[in-house]
Amino acid sequence: MKIVLRNNLILITTDFDTLSTLWMREFLHHHTRGMLFLPKAVLVFRNETLADVRKEFLKQLSEYHAAKHDFSHEFFLRSMLKYGNQPIKIELDKLQAPETINVNLYAYDKYTVLMTLDRPNSWVVNYLRSQLEVYVQKGTDVSLVLDVSDYRAKERLNRALNKRNILHYQINYTYDNRFVSKLYSDLAHYSFGNLCKDEEERERNYFYTVLECPVGASQDTLRQNYKKLAKAYHPDKILHEAPYMIEHYTQKFQLLQEAYSALRVS
């Protein structure tokens, strides 16, 4: 394990076994709604209502780290507590081949969706909850029932399904044609022209999201964000990574180019 204290971040680099210890899992479980899942990391933002949970986690982290490296736990804890307001990023120190988790989608009707995992996996469930918590009616360690009765819920579900890599898991979503026809049956009331217009609007809004800009952002903002993200996701920067990560970065880089081409004014 390696811990770096930065001005704007506590960075913890560790292996998946340590990430899966009970004390870490409990801390992350408390912060499900305020956590960002990344391909090989999780980013936990500060939550004032969970200040005691965070303090206890930093104490356990300090004890664990000090025992591994044989130095003073109390001194290191005082140093970490000075960064108590900063986000905590927990990153895997080595990539493993992705483990596939199958998630089946079933629509009872256009208002209700059932998501079922092929086997229990708290990481994937917590990711889905972090994205869809406000719409979860009930859930277990292998399933979630969602209320998608309004358009925003369907959009949120669609965004969640677009992300398939978290930590070292690859999520494989499966559904049949009846899922789509049931979930979007209300679209039958629209004219073809309305459908085209709505689809174009959704696509433009999606491209703003890809570039991490608010809808209607200025050309300068679009250009700045495109340059920043294109530099961060350029495949040449991660040639040492596993092949599937290179593919992920390549797809992201191509999507950034498509989004910027669609939104920029020539």
Side-chain angles (χ1 to χ4, degrees):
M1 174 185 285
K2 181 180 178 182
I3 301 175
V4 178
L5 304 178
R6 299 177 177 173
N7 290 335
N8 61 344
L9 187 73
I10 298 176
L11 175 62
I12 304 165
T13 306
T14 188
D15 56 34
F16 192 73
D17 288 340
T18 303
L19 184 64
S20 299
T21 55
L22 180 61
W23 56 277
M24 270 210 177
R25 292 172 73 96
E26 287 182 344
F27 170 71
L28 296 174
H29 179 73
H30 277 100
H31 291 78
T32 296
R33 294 190 66 177
M35 187 160 59
L36 179 63
F37 284 84
L38 304 168
K40 61 174 184 177
V42 289
L43 185 61
V44 183
F45 297 98
R46 180 172 174 79
N47 184 330
E48 291 294 340
T49 64
L50 296 171
D52 290 341
V53 174
R54 183 186 180 97
K55 186 174 181 179
E56 179 62 26
F57 169 73
L58 292 178
K59 178 183 177 183
Q60 291 174 308
L61 176 66
S62 176
E63 290 175 346
Y64 180 88
H65 190 54
K68 289 284 186 180
H69 297 277
D70 193 25
F71 58 75
S72 170
H73 146 62
E74 291 79 7
F75 174 78
F76 191 65
L77 176 60
R78 287 196 297 271
S79 299
M80 282 202 297
L81 290 176
K82 293 179 181 178
Y83 294 80
N85 293 325
Q86 303 304 330
I88 298 174
K89 184 178 182 181
I90 306 174
E91 186 175 68
L92 297 179
D93 58 2
K94 57 184 176 181
L95 279 176
Q96 302 170 230
E99 179 182 343
T100 299
I101 301 295
N102 294 312
V103 178
N104 184 60
L105 304 173
Y106 175 78
Y108 292 109
D109 48 43
K110 66 181 180 181
Y111 305 115
T112 311
V113 168
L114 171 67
M115 309 182 77
T116 308
L117 281 67
D118 60 349
R119 61 184 183 275
N121 187 295
S122 61
W123 295 112
V124 174
V125 169
N126 281 341
Y127 162 67
L128 294 171
R129 282 189 175 276
S130 73
Q131 301 297 301
L132 302 163
E133 183 70 38
V134 68
Y135 304 112
V136 175
Q137 292 183 320
K138 56 183 178 180
T140 68
D141 59 347
V142 293
S143 66
L144 296 174
V145 177
L146 309 175
D147 175 3
V148 291
S149 53
D150 64 42
Y151 177 76
R152 288 172 298 179
K154 289 182 172 66
E155 283 291 303
R156 187 72 179 182
L157 174 61
N158 184 53
R159 287 201 300 272
L161 299 185
N162 281 331
K163 188 169 185 178
R164 296 173 178 265
N165 294 97
I166 61 163
L167 297 173
H168 72 252
Y169 295 109
Q170 181 170 322
I171 309 175
N172 178 39
Y173 297 104
T174 60
Y175 52 86
D176 57 25
N177 290 335
R178 287 176 295 177
F179 172 79
V180 176
S181 61
K182 281 184 179 179
L183 195 61
Y184 296 99
S185 61
D186 53 340
L187 294 182
H189 301 297
Y190 293 163
S191 69
F192 181 75
N194 284 335
L195 281 173
C196 291
K197 183 177 179 181
D198 289 346
E199 182 62 29
E200 289 174 0
E201 185 67 21
R202 284 196 295 272
E203 185 177 47
R204 286 185 65 82
N205 289 347
Y206 173 63
F207 284 149
Y208 280 110
T209 301
V210 169
L211 294 172
E212 299 181 8
C213 293
V215 174
S218 69
Q219 289 292 305
D220 284 344
T221 300
L222 291 173
R223 182 170 57 255
Q224 290 169 6
N225 278 33
Y226 168 70
K227 288 182 177 179
K228 178 185 70 176
L229 292 168
K231 182 178 180 180
Y233 283 97
H234 199 288
D236 289 349
K237 291 186 174 295
I238 58 162
L239 291 177
H240 63 285
E241 299 279 14
Y244 82 93
M245 281 299 295
I246 296 176
E247 181 183 358
H248 168 71
Y249 271 63
T250 300
Q251 291 174 347
K252 177 71 173 181
F253 184 72
Q254 291 171 343
L255 184 56
L256 287 166
Q257 292 178 310
E258 181 184 355
Y260 184 58
S261 296
L263 296 176
R264 70 175 178 173
V265 176
S266 302

